[in-house]
């Protein structure tokens, strides 16, 4: 299955979901190119971006699991770049 490059934009409004989010990101760590988290103290939220190189079903699975967390919003953008090994 071809890998795709994707970028997840994640906003965490419920700090109680942070541990679950980090556990999920650790679970899918082999596919993560990099991640950046920015606490926005003025609004009491955190903004994260996660870059991935993974099969489409892996990206969708992680996105779905993150989207089910309380107080967490996610949007995923996909690149049209094909698998580097292809």
């Amino acid at each position: 299955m071809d890998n795709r490059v994707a970028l997840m934009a994640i906003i965490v409004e419920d700090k109680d979901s942070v541990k679950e989010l980090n556990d999920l990101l650790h679970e899918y760590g082999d596919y993560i190119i990099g991640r950046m988290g920015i606490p926005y103290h003025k609004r009491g939220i955190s903004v994260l971006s996660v870059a991935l190189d993974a099969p489409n079903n892996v990206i969708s699975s992680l996105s779905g699991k993150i989207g089910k967390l309380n107080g967490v919003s996610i949007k995923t953008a996909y690149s049209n770049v094909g698998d580097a090994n292809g």
Side-chain angles (χ1 to χ4, degrees):
M1 178 173 282
D2 287 342
N3 281 15
R4 294 187 67 187
V5 175
L7 180 66
M8 293 180 172
I10 305 166
I11 297 177
V12 181
E13 297 174 350
D14 184 350
K15 293 185 190 295
D16 292 337
S17 294
V18 170
K19 182 182 180 336
E20 288 178 274
L21 174 59
N22 283 328
D23 289 347
L24 283 170
L25 294 176
H26 179 75
E27 180 182 337
Y28 286 80
D30 290 344
Y31 301 103
I32 295 177
I33 300 167
R35 65 185 265 191
M36 176 179 63
I38 304 168
Y40 189 19
H41 300 293
K42 180 179 176 182
R43 298 246 184 200
I45 63 172
S46 294
V47 179
L48 290 85
S49 62
V50 179
L52 301 134
D53 187 348
N56 197 47
N57 63 325
V58 171
I59 296 168
S60 295
S61 175
L62 177 57
S63 181
K65 290 176 182 179
I66 291 172
K68 291 180 182 177
L69 297 175
N70 289 329
V72 179
S73 301
I74 182 169
K75 294 291 181 188
T76 305
Y78 292 87
S79 169
N80 290 324
V81 174
D83 194 346
N85 297 323

